[in-house]
């Protein structure tokens, strides 16, 4: 029952269906066939005009954003595809050949041993995440790695003006 989803503006309906050996995304009555669909299912941008899902195909997993399939990756993170609050941007974390990257607005970012914390700023103009490579930390802002650092810290809301807290 959780598979049926309307876009926030009510203009689109999507769901995931299954037949033997195949799964389908059905968007506005049109079916797209895959080996599997992620548990995230179909997601819409906040204003409801854009859509996305993660699917399994021969050769790996692909991100489908606004009808365009990405290159196949070894895996796409369970967080799936994230739209910015204004709906203009989107991104996701993926793995390829034992390395991890973030794909932001269709552009592949730098390769890391791991990535975490991918998110957009409150209005969507910036995207950030952290990457770890050879034991060193990088803060990545809008696809540009900053570092390396021995560690990264953030201020929690309870510590504003106080000492930093480890991430």
């Amino acid at each position: 029952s959780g598979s049926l989803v309307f876009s926030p503006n009510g203009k689109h309906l999507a769901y995931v269906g299954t037949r033997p050996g195949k799964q389908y995304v059905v968007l506005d009555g049109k079916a797209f066939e895959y080996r599997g669909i992620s548990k995230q299912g179909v997601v819409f941008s906040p204003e409801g005009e854009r859509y996305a899902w993660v699917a399994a195909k021969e050769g790996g997993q692909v991100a489908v954003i606004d009808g365009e399939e990405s290159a196949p990756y070894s895996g796409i993170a369970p967080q799936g595809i994230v739209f910015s609050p204004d709906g203009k941007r989107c991104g996701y974390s993926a793995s390829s050949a034992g390395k991890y990257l973030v794909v932001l607005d269709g552009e592949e970012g730098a390769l890391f041993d791991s990535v975490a914390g991918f998110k957009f700023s409150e209005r969507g103009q910036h995207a950030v995440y952290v990457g770890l490579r050879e034991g060193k930390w990088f803060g990545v802002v809008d696809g540009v790695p900053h570092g390396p650092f021995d560690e990264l810290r953030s201020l929690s809301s309870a510590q504003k003006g106080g000492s930093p807290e480890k991430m």
Side-chain angles (χ1 to χ4, degrees):
S1 64
S3 173
L4 292 166
V5 62
F6 282 101
S7 62
N9 62 10
K11 293 181 180 179
H12 306 282
L13 170 66
Y15 57 91
V16 176
T18 302
R19 291 186 181 144
K22 298 286 181 187
Q23 286 192 325
Y24 299 81
V25 167
V26 180
L27 175 67
D28 297 333
K30 184 176 179 187
F32 302 86
E33 181 181 301
Y34 301 98
R35 285 187 14 225
I37 307 296
S38 75
K39 289 183 181 183
Q40 182 189 36
V42 178
V43 294
F44 289 99
S45 60
E47 84 290 347
E49 291 301 321
R50 301 184 68 195
Y51 58 89
W53 62 81
V54 174
K57 291 184 74 170
E58 295 297 322
Q61 289 187 322
V62 295
V64 180
I65 302 169
D66 300 330
E68 298 291 321
E69 284 188 8
S70 71
Y73 293 99
S74 303
I76 294 177
Q79 177 185 20
I81 299 164
V82 178
F83 283 102
S84 63
D86 63 4
K88 294 179 181 175
R89 306 181 73 194
C90 63
Y92 54 93
S93 301
S95 61
S96 182
K99 296 291 182 181
Y100 297 85
L101 66 146
V102 167
V103 179
L104 179 61
D105 301 325
E107 299 291 323
E108 292 184 345
L111 293 174
F112 291 98
D113 298 330
S114 67
V115 297
F118 174 70
K119 62 185 174 182
F120 286 100
S121 62
E122 189 174 314
R123 293 190 189 119
Q125 34 328 25
H126 301 289
V128 297
Y129 61 95
V130 295
L132 183 65
R133 185 185 304 134
E134 297 175 357
K136 298 289 184 179
W137 290 90
F138 294 81
V140 183
V141 180
D142 296 328
V144 178
H146 299 275
F149 299 101
D150 292 334
E151 63 183 324
L152 291 179
R153 298 175 179 215
S154 69
L155 292 176
S156 72
S157 59
Q159 291 182 311
K160 288 183 181 172
S163 61
E165 176 184 345
K166 277 188 180 180
M167 286 182 76

